[in-house]
Amino acid sequence: MYRAETKGIRVTVEPRFLEDESSPRESRFFWAYTVEIVNLGAETVQLKTRHWTITDGEGRSQEVHGPGVIGEEPILEPGESFTYTSGCPLSTAHGTMTGSYDMITQRGERFPVDIPLFPLDSPYVRRVMH
């Protein structure tokens, strides 16, 4: 698991390679990732937007921006958590993801929350030993 904490909001990510959804011969590799967002702070917050940077095994990056996560903009009171699972396809056998969520407090203060960098590794990655 990979974890980051920003201003009392903890984000934990657990990626996993989905063999059944992948086709290495067609350069199609698919991962699921489960994210848990926990409000460790003293204020209620709402997740408004997401920003992802997805980098494949050849160093090509793509940016993904959008409202909420999985069609929701969850509100987290102090001590509450929200968990969701999503997916990511790549044309290479490995890559990385990282990003941020835009949160807002009940007072209207907006702030970014870091999503930790995490690897997208498959069993098809060629490792070279020197």
Side-chain angles (χ1 to χ4, degrees):
M1 289 202 275
Y2 302 87
R3 180 172 288 159
E5 188 175 321
T6 310
K7 293 185 91 173
I9 307 299
R10 184 177 66 208
V11 178
T12 305
V13 183
E14 186 172 359
R16 65 188 178 285
F17 179 67
L18 299 180
E19 185 80 45
D20 293 348
E21 302 291 326
S22 300
S23 178
R25 287 185 179 183
E26 297 171 14
S27 296
R28 190 174 69 238
F29 303 88
F30 198 82
W31 289 263
Y33 55 91
T34 300
V35 178
E36 180 187 45
I37 304 164
V38 182
N39 183 356
L40 302 171
E43 289 189 81
T44 298
V45 297
Q46 183 174 19
L47 189 157
K48 296 302 286 181
T49 64
R50 69 186 183 285
H51 168 238
W52 288 102
T53 301
I54 304 164
T55 305
D56 72 13
E58 296 178 2
R60 295 177 298 227
S61 291
Q62 63 175 314
E63 304 285 320
V64 177
H65 299 267
V69 290
I70 62 165
E72 297 186 45
E73 293 181 2
I75 296 171
L76 299 172
E77 293 186 22
E80 287 188 333
S81 66
F82 180 80
T83 302
Y84 73 95
T85 299
S86 191
C88 178
L90 287 180
S91 61
T92 60
H94 65 96
T96 62
M97 289 180 69
T98 189
S100 63
Y101 298 120
D102 183 42
M103 301 291 236
I104 189 168
T105 67
Q106 287 181 313
R107 294 180 288 116
E109 174 195 351
R110 285 187 175 265
F111 62 98
V113 170
D114 293 333
I115 301 169
L117 176 73
F118 59 93
L120 300 173
D121 290 330
S122 79
Y124 301 97
V125 177
R126 287 193 196 146
R127 304 278 185 217
V128 177
M129 301 293 279
H130 294 280

